[in-house]
Amino acid sequence: MRLVQPSMLLMQTPLRFFAVTRRFSKSHEWVDFDADTKQGKLGITKYAAEALGDIVHVDLPEDGASFSKGDSICAIESVKTAADVYMPCDGTVTRINEELEDEPQQISIAAEEEGWLMEFEIEDSS
């Protein structure tokens, strides 16, 4: 077996750039956005999901609904409390995670993966 120095691996590995970026808000939402297509996906952080506890209901927005930055776009109810989710930028809902209507606990299980809330078209990339 031949050992390779890490610096040699770096030089031989092609560089790849990803257009999708994940950002987090102070109010514990995350958004994945693609600067090329102006598409975003929104959810709450694992920390927020753990703080809410067992999630029992999600009130999702309608497809095609438009929101401005800072608007409350949906409510998440748990056995402990309820919380609003806020829009991180101006945008229009293009798809909701319909699985959450029957299985809202997916947010508790995988908040930053299968527990995403909605996809939207970004109108303002700021």
Side-chain angles (χ1 to χ4, degrees), residues 82-126:
D84 288 330
V85 177
Y86 299 97
M87 191 68 167
C89 60
D90 296 346
T92 302
V93 177
T94 57
R95 183 175 155 215
I96 60 168
N97 187 349
E98 293 176 357
E99 292 180 20
L100 297 179
E101 293 173 356
D102 295 326
E103 297 181 37
Q105 65 273 16
Q106 280 298 320
I107 298 171
S108 299
I109 296 167
E112 296 184 22
E113 292 141 13
E114 290 84 20
W116 60 274
L117 301 171
M118 65 175 219
E119 293 178 347
F120 61 99
E121 184 173 342
I122 299 169
E123 294 173 8
D124 176 19
S125 61
S126 61

Side-chain angles (χ1 to χ4, degrees), residues 64-75:
S66 292
F67 295 95
S68 297
K69 181 178 181 176
D71 287 352
S72 174
I73 54 169
C74 74

